Amino acid sequence: MPVPNQGPLSDLVVIEMGSLIAGPFAGQILGDFGAEVIKIEDPKVGDPMRQWGRSLPKGHSPWWPVIGRNKKSVGLDLRTPEGQALAKALIAQADVVIENFRPGAMEKWGLSYEVLSKDNSKLVMARVSGFGQTGPYAERAGYGLIGEAMGGLRYVTGEADRPPARAGISIGDSLAAMHAVMGITMALHERERTGKGQVIDAALYESVLAVMENLVTEYDITGYVRERSGSVLPGIAPSNAYPCQGGELILIGGNGDTVYARLTEAMGRPDLKTDPKFVDHAARGVNQHELDAIIADWTSGFTLPDLLALLESKGVPSSRVFRAPDMLQDPQYAARESIVTTEHPVFGPIRMQNAFPKLSRTPGSVRWPGPALGQHTDEVLGERAGCSAERLAELRGKGII
């Protein structure tokens, strides 16, 4: 049974242009919450995400069903005048355009905001790039890792005695996409008052910088440069990964005074609560490594399930380090439908993360996985650009669609 579209954005039409993650993840979020997302792709090869992944089971990427979900795929060569004219026709009826080409590409193709807004003054255009649309770095190539480096995240990630580490996901791209979506929803809200669209300029490095807490301000006031600190935050203790029997790890967050008191009770060590070295937040921060060693010695005597149960009974925040198999078996995930199943034409039933956050009346949903390249070309160009069957055949013969 098809999943009904109850999303709050079901009255919006979004044209997604660009590729990889930063732009398409923004389109995925809007599609998850009901927008009609029309993805324009190169008709010959499509989005590179169609071929990304550690492996290609059955010749298909496990990446594409997720980032392409809830979208319609239109194959259209934007480097041709006819392709550009069709794109303009689609955008003239749209609410939002998302693009993540290098700055200047849209202008080169005659698809600048100034041009597009002449036919659609309500148009909201989100432009996602490495360094933004202005400034001396604007025209530089900027992938996610560059934004993570310039935004400050890479420097503080990893162990102190090793080179900077990455998060294990393309977090810079995803943060840029999320900031683009925030900008889009803000612009749509403002459009309700003024009737006018505008441009959202989402730079990867600024999107990373936005979540760097007080890193700049702390240096500005005190001269302290935050360094890599592995699995802990300096001065925040106890808050770390600790060993259990069998080589498993448990994460424990007990840095607040009241929580720490409950942890010492669970440990059967009331002396740790009153010890001057650990008596309050500041003291525990100064003696962080000594306290972590004491806790690690204690946790190593338990199996992970037994320790989780004990800490839960005492109200101490703790968790296993979740992997995909853990997520698929966890009762919290199941109760909230954090993972959903959708039908894929090649893979059959596949599981993926649901649409977040949860809305009480108009929730998002995964209605279909990433479509085949050009699957909706005839439908969209026929309905929205007035192309007849003969015109579509002509365009296909020229390789434009």
Side-chain angles (χ1 to χ4, degrees):
M1 290 288 291
V3 177
N5 182 0
Q6 300 175 309
L9 307 181
S10 59
D11 59 335
L12 295 181
V13 177
V14 177
I15 307 297
E16 179 195 301
M17 308 163 87
S19 59
L20 300 173
I21 301 173
F25 184 42
Q28 178 196 321
I29 295 170
L30 297 176
D32 285 353
F33 287 91
E36 180 181 2
V37 179
I38 298 169
K39 180 175 180 63
I40 295 178
E41 303 182 72
D42 184 305
K44 299 179 181 64
V45 297
D47 192 318
M49 296 304 293
R50 292 179 176 275
Q51 299 301 318
W52 271 34
R54 185 183 56 80
S55 62
L56 298 175
K58 300 185 179 181
H60 291 260
S61 167
W63 246 112
W64 178 248
V66 180
I67 203 162
R69 70 192 194 188
N70 296 327
K71 299 177 185 178
K72 295 179 177 179
S73 172
V74 172
L76 190 60
D77 188 349
L78 294 175
R79 292 167 176 80
T80 64
E82 286 177 286
Q84 294 157 11
L86 288 168
K88 287 180 184 177
L90 295 177
I91 293 169
Q93 305 172 53
D95 296 283
V96 178
V97 170
I98 301 169
E99 66 94 2
N100 68 319
F101 300 110
R102 190 181 296 195
M106 294 289 283
E107 286 77 7
K108 181 175 66 176
W109 297 332
L111 299 173
S112 68
Y113 185 77
E114 289 69 28
V115 170
L116 298 173
S117 61
K118 288 179 180 178
D119 294 327
N120 185 353
S121 62
K122 294 185 177 182
L123 181 67
V124 171
M125 185 178 194
R127 312 195 69 176
V128 186
S129 62
F131 306 99
Q133 302 297 313
T134 59
Y137 300 172
E139 295 185 8
R140 291 184 182 180
Y143 276 8
L145 79 164
I146 308 302
E148 292 164 26
M150 188 172 174
L153 179 62
R154 285 293 179 108
Y155 185 79
V156 299
T157 304
E159 300 291 338
D161 60 347
R162 302 175 195 175
R166 67 173 296 148
I169 57 171
S170 301
I171 189 68
D173 291 297
S174 298
L175 285 171
M178 290 178 173
H179 279 83
V181 171
M182 285 193 290
I184 289 168
T185 54
M186 293 172 195
L188 291 172
H189 179 76
E190 193 274 344
R191 190 179 73 174
E192 290 295 309
R193 296 197 303 273
T194 66
K196 297 179 180 179
Q198 60 181 300
V199 177
I200 293 93
D201 184 355
L204 267 74
Y205 86 91
E206 290 173 334
S207 299
V208 172
L209 177 62
V211 300
M212 293 307 295
E213 301 173 347
N214 69 331
L215 180 141
V216 171
T217 307
E218 185 175 31
Y219 169 74
D220 189 46
I221 294 173
T222 71
Y224 174 75
V225 176
R226 192 177 299 187
E227 301 288 343
R228 292 184 291 285
S229 56
S231 61
V232 302
L233 286 175
I236 307 297
S239 181
N240 204 343
Y242 303 95
C244 294
Q245 291 179 0
E248 294 192 279
L249 293 172
I250 186 170
L251 294 175
I252 300 175
N255 48 291
D257 287 346
T258 56
V259 176
Y260 176 69
R262 295 198 294 270
L263 174 60
T264 62
E265 180 184 343
M267 295 175 68
R269 292 288 306 273
D271 58 300
L272 294 177
K273 179 181 176 182
T274 56
D275 189 318
K277 291 185 292 186
F278 312 125
V279 71
D280 57 25
H281 178 80
R284 290 192 295 275
V286 171
N287 299 286
Q288 182 169 26
H289 298 301
E290 181 179 352
L291 180 58
D292 274 345
I294 293 170
I295 295 172
D297 182 64
W298 174 71
T299 61
S300 61
F302 291 83
T303 65
L304 177 60
D306 286 347
L307 188 52
L308 286 169
L310 172 61
L311 293 174
E312 181 183 350
S313 72
K314 300 296 185 181
V316 178
S318 60
S319 177
R320 68 173 66 245
V321 182
F322 276 70
R323 304 169 302 137
D326 304 308
M327 298 172 187
L328 294 176
Q329 298 169 11
D330 187 80
Q332 179 71 10
Y333 273 75
R336 289 179 56 82
E337 297 184 323
S338 303
I339 303 290
V340 293
T341 301
T342 189
E343 191 70 27
H344 190 277
V346 175
F347 297 135
I350 58 173
R351 292 177 287 188
M352 65 180 68
Q353 61 268 42
N354 206 340
F356 310 119
K358 294 182 177 294
L359 277 64
S360 62
R361 287 192 302 102
T362 56
S365 60
V366 179
R367 298 180 299 285
W368 64 84
L373 176 59
Q375 180 176 332
H376 304 93
T377 301
D378 289 7
E379 170 195 332
V380 171
L381 294 184
E383 292 178 359
R384 295 189 172 277
C387 291
S388 64
E390 292 76 16
R391 177 59 173 158
L392 290 169
E394 178 188 355
L395 292 167
R396 190 163 279 113
K398 293 180 178 180
I400 295 169
I401 64 173

